[in-house]
């Protein structure tokens, strides 16, 4: 079972949404900031929530070697929205651009199951060799990808599946949260 860590350091202004989600689904977790990245290991799962893109790029760019080692040694990285940009700042994936705007929409998984999600200035996911599409929008454009790097796993979500404190989307009633819960459970 992997230990869950939520990045709550510089720029992580949407960490409370992930913390609310984890509380609803009775998941134990610890908070982590950029000063502790070197302590992450192969039995850990790091969730980088939505946040401030510029701050994330600065922080994760400065700690690229620790994040790269964490993932390639067997850790799991889940980047949500700006968490995708954070990973791109490490050089592990190509640079991403972000669209502007907010929307509530439905997405589907590979079985055709539909989930509610939110988008808020979402990243455009880069093309990555051997990446599996986890969720697609109505135009079949990937909005969530999963792939391996070394011994680790990277899960990138351009959409918010966790629910939202600000937008009053409680994780118990928000179907996207059920997708995220399954995704985390499959990594534990």
């Amino acid at each position: 079972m992997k230990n869950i860590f939520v990045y709550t350091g510089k720029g992580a202004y949407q960490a409370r949404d992930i913390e609310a989600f984890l509380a609803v689904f009775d998941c134990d977790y610890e908070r982590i900031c950029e000063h502790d990245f070197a302590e992450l290991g192969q039995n850990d799962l790091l969730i980088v929530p939505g946040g401030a893109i510029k701050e994330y790029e600065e922080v994760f760019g400065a700690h690229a070697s620790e994040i790269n080692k964490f993932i390639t040694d067997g850790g799991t990285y889940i980047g949500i929205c700006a968490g995708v940009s954070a990973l791109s700042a490490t050089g592990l994936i190509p640079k991403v651009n972000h669209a502007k705007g907010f929307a509530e929409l439905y997405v589907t998984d590979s079985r055709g199951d539909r989930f509610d999600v939110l988008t808020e200035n979402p990243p455009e996911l880069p093309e990555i060799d051997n990446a599996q599409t986890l969720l697609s929008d109505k135009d079949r454009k990937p909005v969530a990808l999963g792939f391996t790097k070394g011994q680790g796993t990277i899960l990138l979500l351009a959409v918010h599946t966790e629910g939202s404190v600000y937008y009053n989307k409680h994780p118990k009633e928000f179907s996207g949260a059920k997708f995220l819960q399954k995704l985390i459970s499959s990594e534990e």
Side-chain angles (χ1 to χ4, degrees):
M1 183 164 160
K2 293 215 176 207
N3 305 306
I4 299 172
F5 290 88
V6 176
Y7 176 69
T8 58
K10 185 176 179 182
Y13 69 83
Q14 290 181 327
R16 67 183 182 189
D17 291 338
I18 290 296
E19 291 182 301
F21 160 83
L22 291 169
V24 164
F25 289 101
D26 290 325
C27 297
D28 292 329
Y29 71 94
E30 292 183 44
R31 293 176 174 166
I32 190 169
C33 72
E34 57 272 17
H35 308 293
D36 302 318
F37 285 157
E39 297 176 25
L40 290 168
Q42 66 185 18
N43 291 322
D44 296 334
L45 183 151
L46 173 63
I47 302 173
V48 181
I53 296 164
K54 289 192 186 308
E55 284 88 345
Y56 274 12
E57 288 174 344
E58 175 187 313
V59 167
F60 283 77
H63 294 276
S65 61
E66 291 116 275
I67 296 298
N68 194 336
K69 182 176 178 3
F70 158 66
I71 294 169
T72 58
D73 285 354
T76 299
Y77 180 98
I78 298 178
I80 300 172
C81 196
V84 175
S85 288
L87 191 65
S88 75
T90 68
L92 288 172
I93 62 170
K95 176 107 173 102
V96 297
N97 295 313
H98 285 257
K100 297 283 185 201
F102 170 81
E104 294 183 44
L105 54 121
Y106 287 101
V107 295
T108 55
D109 66 9
S110 60
R111 294 188 317 252
D113 293 334
R114 287 173 41 128
F115 299 95
D116 299 304
V117 297
L118 301 172
T119 64
E120 186 175 11
N121 303 326
E124 297 172 12
L125 295 179
E127 288 189 27
I128 298 170
D129 291 338
N130 301 317
Q132 176 187 3
T133 299
L134 306 174
L135 293 173
S136 300
D137 67 12
K138 64 180 175 47
D139 298 321
R140 296 188 177 194
K141 180 180 173 186
V143 295
L145 298 174
F147 57 99
T148 58
K149 179 78 172 174
Q151 299 299 311
T153 302
I154 297 173
L155 304 164
L156 303 177
L157 287 76
V159 294
H160 291 272
T161 56
E162 69 272 18
S164 172
V165 174
Y166 181 80
Y167 293 110
N168 199 27
K169 301 292 182 186
H170 193 278
K172 264 301 192 220
E173 289 92 40
F174 194 66
S175 63
K178 291 168 184 60
F179 170 82
L180 184 57
Q181 187 222 9
K182 269 199 288 190
L183 190 65
I184 290 172
S185 296
S186 72
E187 292 299 315
E188 290 186 306

